Amino acid sequence: MTRTTLQKFSLINPPSFALQREKEVQKKYNIVMKDKERMNNFLEGVKRELETEKFYLTENNFPYLTEKGIKHLVCWYKDCDPCMIQKELQTKFDVITCWKNKPANCSILEINHIHVFISIN
C-alpha cells in the first residue's frame, strides 16, 4: 500500500477488508496464529507491559504490505482513548495514519490495539 492509500483509512474509517502481507510474512503469520502456546505467551507479555504502561508500542512482526519508507507498528492499550494515543504518537513520529481493525478483520481480540503506520524517511 502506498502512503496515499493508507491515508484513506483512520480511526473513524478503518479498512472494511483484510489487508495483504508479503507471501512469506503471511506464511509465518499463519503458523504463529495456529500455535496456541506461542500466542498465549505473547499475549501474556503484552498484558505484563500494560500493567505499568497506558499503552505499549511494538513493531508489527507480521506487517501489512506497504511501500518502502513506511513502518507498521502496533499499539496495545487498555483504558485509553485511541484518539489520545494517536495524538501522543504524533508528537514522537511522523504518523501517516492509524486505526483499530473491525472485529471481522481482527485476529487478536483479547487486547485492544491499533495499527500505526509511520514514515521512516
Side-chain angles (χ1 to χ4, degrees), residues 17-34:
F17 53 90
L19 300 176
Q20 299 295 308
R21 295 179 172 92
E22 289 182 5
K23 262 188 181 179
E24 287 304 311
V25 172
Q26 186 65 49
K27 283 181 186 177
K28 290 177 185 176
Y29 172 83
N30 294 342
I31 291 167
V32 169
M33 292 307 293
K34 290 178 184 175

Side-chain angles (χ1 to χ4, degrees), residues 67-80:
E67 68 184 3
K68 190 173 181 173
I70 297 173
K71 184 175 280 198
H72 181 183
L73 308 172
V74 178
C75 186
W76 307 90
Y77 67 94
K78 66 176 188 178
D79 304 325
C80 281

Side-chain angles (χ1 to χ4, degrees), residues 2-16:
T2 66
R3 178 190 266 281
T4 303
T5 300
L6 284 169
Q7 289 172 326
K8 293 178 183 177
F9 307 119
S10 68
L11 289 171
I12 59 171
N13 183 39
S16 59

Side-chain angles (χ1 to χ4, degrees), residues 87-114:
K87 287 178 184 173
E88 189 164 332
L89 293 175
Q90 286 172 326
T91 68
K92 300 174 183 175
F93 303 102
D94 178 10
V95 176
I96 298 168
T97 191
C98 63
W99 66 75
K100 182 175 182 175
N101 275 343
K102 293 182 177 191
N105 294 325
C106 189
S107 56
I108 298 177
L109 296 168
E110 297 91 329
I111 305 172
N112 286 320
H113 60 283
I114 58 176

Side-chain angles (χ1 to χ4, degrees), residues 14-75:
S16 59
F17 53 90
L19 300 176
Q20 299 295 308
R21 295 179 172 92
E22 289 182 5
K23 262 188 181 179
E24 287 304 311
V25 172
Q26 186 65 49
K27 283 181 186 177
K28 290 177 185 176
Y29 172 83
N30 294 342
I31 291 167
V32 169
M33 292 307 293
K34 290 178 184 175
D35 186 337
K36 299 293 185 202
E37 183 177 347
R38 189 170 175 180
M39 281 303 301
N40 285 336
N41 289 338
F42 172 76
L43 293 172
E44 289 304 315
V46 171
K47 289 176 184 175
R48 276 193 301 278
E49 291 292 331
L50 293 175
E51 288 174 2
T52 57
E53 302 295 329
K54 58 184 172 182
F55 62 84
Y56 175 50
L57 186 67
T58 63
E59 281 191 42
N60 190 325
N61 293 327
F62 309 102
Y64 296 139
L65 183 58
T66 61
E67 68 184 3
K68 190 173 181 173
I70 297 173
K71 184 175 280 198
H72 181 183
L73 308 172
V74 178
C75 186

